[in-house]
Amino acid sequence: MKYVFPDNFWWGSASSAPQTEGETLSFGKSATIWDQWFKEQPTRFHNGVGPADTSTFYKNWKQDIALLKELNHNTFRTSISWARLLPEGRGAVNQQAVTFYNQVIDELLAQGIKPFINLFHFDMPMAMQQEGGWENRDVVTAYAEFANVCFELFGDRVKHWFTFNEPVVPVEGGYLYDFHYPNVVDFKRAATVAYHTMIAHSLAVKAYHERNDGGEIGIILNLTPSYPRSQNPADVKAANIADLMFNRSFLDPALRGEYPQELVELLKEHGQLPACQPGDKELLAAGVVDLLGINYYQPRRIKCRDSLVNPDSPFMPEWFFEAYEMPGRKMNPYRGWEIYEQGIYDILTNLRENYGNPNCYISENGMGVENEQRFDENGQIQDDYRIDFVSDHLKWLHKGISEGSNCLGYHMWTFIDNWSWCNAYKNRYGFVSLNLETQQRSIKKSGEWYKATAAENGFNDRT
C-alpha cells in the first residue's frame, strides 16, 4: 500500500539551541540552568558529558543546513537561546547572537527550508533563575520582552513561531520529580511555574498578534494520552486526573484560553492553586494559538491506586493514580518507553472531536537507541528499527488525516544525534550519525529513507 500525504505537507525535523549549538559560554552567551547544574553536579549527567559538548551547530550551521537540504526537508525547527540573545535575560542585545541567528535563518530560506523558531526549550538563563525563574512574575515579563526582541529582529523572515517546547517538562523535572534543575519537590511551586509559563505564553501570543507580521504563533506540547487499565470507574477516574494534570493543564489554555474547571476544583480542594492577578483571565483568553505542535513518544497507562496515600508525603499527582505496566506492551528497551503507534491517531482524534480540529503538526516523534555503532555496516548505521518506528507512526497519522484531522506535517526528533540533557549521548535519535571525537556527520539508513519519503510525499508499506 502507498501512503500519500497532502500537498505541501511539512517534512522536517526538530532540534533546540541548548542541545545543538555548543559554545555554551562563548560568543557573548551567558550561563543557563544547565551550565550551572553541570558545574554543581556533573555526576548527574551520563558519562559526565555536559551542555558544552553538543553537535557544534554554532560552528557547523552551514554544513548542517546543507544536510537538511540533502534530506529533502522543507521545514526545520530549532530554538533561539534566550541566554545567547539577551545575556542578562533582559536589556542589551548580544550582536554576535543576532549575526548567528540571521545567518541560520537566511541560509534555511536560501535552501528552501521554512524556519520554525521556538523561544524556550528548557533553557532558563541563570540570570533569570537567580530571580526565581518561572516562580517570579518579573521573569514572565522579561520573557515577553525577549519574545518581542525576537519578533522585531527576525519576524520579517520567520513566519512560524512557538512560545514553548514541552512546558510541562520543566514543571515535572524542576519542581516535582527532581530530574531538572532547580531540583525542587513542591507541587504548589510546580503549579505556580506551570501557571506563569502559560501567562508568559499568552503575553507572547498577544504581542505577536498585535504586530500583524503575517505569520502564525503556537506552542509545542508533549501530549501523552492517558489510557486506563480497564473501564472500571476507579481506573477511568484515575486516567482522567492524569490527563488533567499532564495534558489538559496546558492544552486547554492553549486551545480554549482557559483552564479545565475540573482541574481548578481539584487543586482548590487540596490548597494547591497558584496565585492569580487581575487581568489574567483575559490574558489567557488572548493566548489561543494559531498552530499546535504535538510531541508524541509514548502513551501513559494508568490505574487507580492500590494503597492509601502517606498523609505525611509531599502532595503529588500520584496521590490520585498509579502507573500501569500493561502486559505484552511493545517496548523500546533502551529508553524504557512503550511504543504505541496508535497514540498519534488518538491524539488527533481527540483534537478533532473535542477541540475544534485545530491546525497542528507532529513536532516531535522519535526513537532513541543506545550503542548504535553496533549497527554500522560499511560506514552507515543500518537503523531499520527507526524506519519501522517512523513509518508505523506515519500510517496512523495518515489515517487521522484521512478522517479529517488538520495535521499539516511531521517532524522527527531529531536531525542529527545530539546532546540530550542528563542522558547526554546515551541514546541516539538522529537521521544523521555524529562522531563525537571528529564531529564527522554521516547519514543513516533512516535518513536515506526519510529523504525518499519527503521527495515522494509518501511511502510504500515495508511489510
Side-chain angles (χ1 to χ4, degrees):
M1 177 177 173
K2 174 98 177 189
Y3 293 88
V4 179
F5 286 79
D7 292 343
N8 303 312
F9 197 72
W10 295 329
W11 296 103
S13 58
S15 69
S16 78
Q19 293 173 271
T20 62
E21 286 180 2
E23 304 299 338
T24 186
L25 296 175
S26 307
F27 299 100
K29 181 182 171 296
S30 66
T32 69
I33 57 174
W34 293 96
D35 300 298
Q36 182 66 26
W37 193 22
F38 183 70
K39 182 180 174 183
E40 291 178 11
Q41 291 186 297
T43 57
R44 293 283 294 250
F45 295 76
H46 182 69
N47 289 340
V49 177
D53 298 304
T54 68
S55 50
T56 61
F57 185 68
Y58 194 93
K59 288 184 175 178
N60 292 300
W61 55 271
K62 196 158 191 175
Q63 176 189 355
D64 284 351
I65 293 171
L67 278 168
L68 292 174
K69 177 68 172 177
E70 187 175 342
L71 294 179
N72 289 323
H73 280 38
N74 57 24
T75 46
F76 176 65
R77 170 167 69 96
T78 188
S79 66
I80 290 173
S81 167
W82 185 357
R84 189 178 297 283
L85 191 66
L86 300 176
E88 297 302 317
R90 54 168 70 89
V93 174
N94 173 16
Q95 290 304 319
Q96 293 179 90
V98 176
T99 298
F100 169 66
Y101 289 119
N102 273 330
Q103 289 174 331
V104 169
I105 291 164
D106 290 346
E107 183 66 16
L108 285 167
L109 290 169
Q111 297 294 345
I113 302 167
K114 291 180 182 177
F116 284 27
I117 300 298
N118 175 39
L119 296 172
F120 189 87
H121 199 120
F122 311 165
D123 52 344
M124 177 67 74
M126 200 59 208
M128 296 285 89
Q129 188 63 39
Q130 287 167 342
E131 293 185 21
W134 293 120
E135 293 182 80
N136 185 349
R137 292 283 291 233
D138 289 343
V139 171
V140 171
T141 303
Y143 167 84
E145 293 167 2
F146 159 62
N148 269 308
V149 170
C150 291
F151 301 151
E152 189 67 35
L153 288 169
F154 313 116
D156 58 326
R157 287 152 292 154
V158 175
K159 299 304 175 185
H160 298 87
W161 292 95
F162 299 91
T163 56
F164 288 88
N165 174 78
E166 298 187 351
V168 73
V169 171
V171 175
E172 292 177 298
Y175 294 87
L176 284 177
Y177 302 122
D178 181 38
F179 63 85
H180 279 192
Y181 196 85
N183 310 104
V184 172
V185 178
D186 186 317
F187 189 98
K188 184 115 183 226
R189 290 173 69 181
T192 297
V193 167
Y195 180 65
H196 286 174
T197 299
M198 289 313 291
I199 292 293
H201 156 85
S202 297
L203 283 169
V205 170
K206 186 170 183 285
Y208 186 72
H209 284 156
E210 287 171 353
R211 291 178 59 85
N212 293 316
D213 277 348
E216 56 188 359
I217 189 166
I219 194 169
I220 294 158
L221 302 180
N222 48 321
L223 297 178
T224 307
S226 294
Y227 297 103
R229 169 182 58 179
S230 72
Q231 289 306 301
N232 184 291
D235 285 339
V236 172
K237 180 181 179 182
N240 179 56
I241 293 177
D243 187 52
L244 283 169
M245 294 249 187
F246 294 111
N247 291 320
R248 294 186 60 192
S249 55
F250 291 95
L251 184 62
D252 281 43
L255 293 184
R256 294 175 173 161
E258 61 183 12
Y259 283 92
Q261 196 55 39
E262 209 177 340
L263 177 63
V264 173
E265 293 300 326
L266 181 67
L267 298 189
K268 188 176 180 181
E269 178 187 344
H270 293 274
Q272 302 293 329
L273 274 180
C276 303
Q277 290 186 8
D280 281 1
K281 185 176 181 181
E282 293 75 17
L283 183 56
L284 285 168
V288 173
V289 298
D290 307 315
L291 175 66
L292 176 68
I294 301 162
N295 292 357
Y296 175 69
Y297 289 95
Q298 61 176 330
R300 181 178 278 111
R301 306 281 180 186
I302 295 294
K303 65 178 183 178
C304 68
R305 287 187 59 91
D306 294 328
S307 59
L308 293 174
V309 172
N310 173 4
D312 296 324
S313 67
F315 180 85
M316 293 291 261
E318 286 73 16
W319 277 31
F320 305 98
F321 54 79
E322 290 181 359
Y324 169 61
E325 293 193 5
M326 186 180 74
R329 60 192 181 143
K330 181 161 68 169
M331 293 292 293
N332 173 356
Y334 312 102
R335 193 64 182 84
W337 286 353
E338 180 183 348
I339 298 173
Y340 185 66
E341 299 89 344
Q342 185 182 329
I344 214 164
Y345 167 81
D346 292 342
I347 291 168
L348 292 179
T349 302
N350 177 47
L351 291 173
R352 189 176 73 245
E353 293 180 349
N354 299 312
Y355 289 89
N357 202 13
N359 282 349
C360 63
Y361 83 110
I362 303 304
S363 42
E364 286 181 32
N365 178 229
M367 183 182 188
V369 172
E370 197 170 353
N371 189 20
E372 276 200 325
Q373 286 309 117
R374 71 206 138 114
F375 301 112
D376 186 303
E377 291 181 17
N378 302 316
Q380 185 182 60
I381 304 294
Q382 302 296 303
D383 55 342
D384 290 272
Y385 45 84
R386 185 166 286 111
I387 299 172
D388 290 339
F389 180 95
V390 175
S391 60
D392 288 347
H393 280 82
L394 283 172
K395 289 172 189 175
W396 282 100
L397 178 58
H398 186 273
K399 178 175 169 61
I401 293 170
S402 70
E403 293 178 7
S405 290
N406 290 326
C407 185
L408 307 176
Y410 176 91
H411 280 193
M412 176 76 172
W413 185 271
T414 180
F415 153 61
I416 189 170
D417 293 335
N418 63 13
W419 182 78
S420 190
W421 318 112
C422 290
N423 277 323
Y425 288 91
K426 182 172 183 280
N427 296 292
R428 302 295 188 103
Y429 284 86
F431 284 133
V432 175
S433 179
L434 175 70
N435 183 314
L436 283 177
E437 293 180 3
T438 66
Q439 288 296 312
Q440 181 181 348
R441 285 106 157 100
S442 53
I443 297 173
K444 302 176 189 177
K445 186 177 181 180
S446 64
E448 301 285 0
W449 180 88
Y450 198 71
K451 173 183 177 178
T453 297
E456 297 169 16
N457 201 35
F459 62 95
N460 288 307
D461 200 338
R462 282 163 54 86
T463 56

